[in-house]
């Protein structure tokens, strides 16, 4: 979480994209664990070596947050649809 909150500067800087993704996943851990009628969501990370990326780190972390939240929403919605069909 420290990486996520630390990158709130408004300037372009070189960042390790894997740290941003990991920080976002840590913040979303409560949504990945089983709850209500939804099973655990397993995230498989296959990072390869990549150079530091110049970007607005706060904004790129926000993008990861939105993408992962949308993916979790879709999986939960799909799970509920399957339950209705059974």
């Amino acid at each position: 979480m420290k990486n996520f909150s630390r990158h709130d500067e408004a300037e372009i800087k070189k960042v390790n994209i894997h740290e941003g993704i990991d920080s976002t996943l840590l913040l979303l851990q409560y949504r990945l664990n089983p709850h209500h009628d939804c099973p655990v969501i397993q995230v498989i990370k296959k990072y390869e070596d990549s150079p530091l990326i110049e970007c607005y780190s706060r904004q790129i972390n926000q993008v990861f947050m939105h993408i992962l939240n949308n993916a979790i929403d879709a999986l939960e919605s799909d799970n509920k649809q399957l339950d209705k069909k059974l």
Side-chain angles (χ1 to χ4, degrees):
M1 281 193 283
K2 185 170 81 174
N3 288 336
F4 198 91
S5 63
R6 181 178 55 194
H7 295 302
D8 62 351
E9 296 123 20
E11 62 186 46
I12 292 179
K13 59 188 282 186
K14 290 188 176 190
V15 297
N16 180 331
I17 210 79
H18 302 153
E19 287 179 5
I21 295 169
D22 288 341
S23 294
T24 304
L25 287 169
L26 185 62
L27 290 171
L28 291 173
Q29 191 63 44
Y30 76 99
R31 295 207 55 207
L32 300 173
N33 292 328
H35 60 282
H36 304 293
D37 296 329
C38 297
V40 66
I41 297 172
Q42 181 182 10
V43 177
I44 300 170
K45 299 181 283 184
K46 293 186 178 183
Y47 297 149
E48 297 198 11
D49 291 333
S50 61
L52 297 178
I53 296 174
E54 277 192 58
C55 63
Y56 292 102
S57 55
R58 185 174 132 209
Q59 281 101 347
I60 198 72
N61 285 338
Q62 197 63 43
V63 168
F64 294 143
M65 181 69 76
H66 288 298
I67 290 171
L68 291 167
N69 260 320
N70 289 343
I72 293 168
D73 289 343
L75 288 170
E76 289 177 349
S77 176
D78 200 36
N79 187 51
K80 289 176 186 172
Q81 292 299 323
L82 288 174
D83 285 345
K84 287 180 184 177
K85 291 180 183 178
L86 295 176

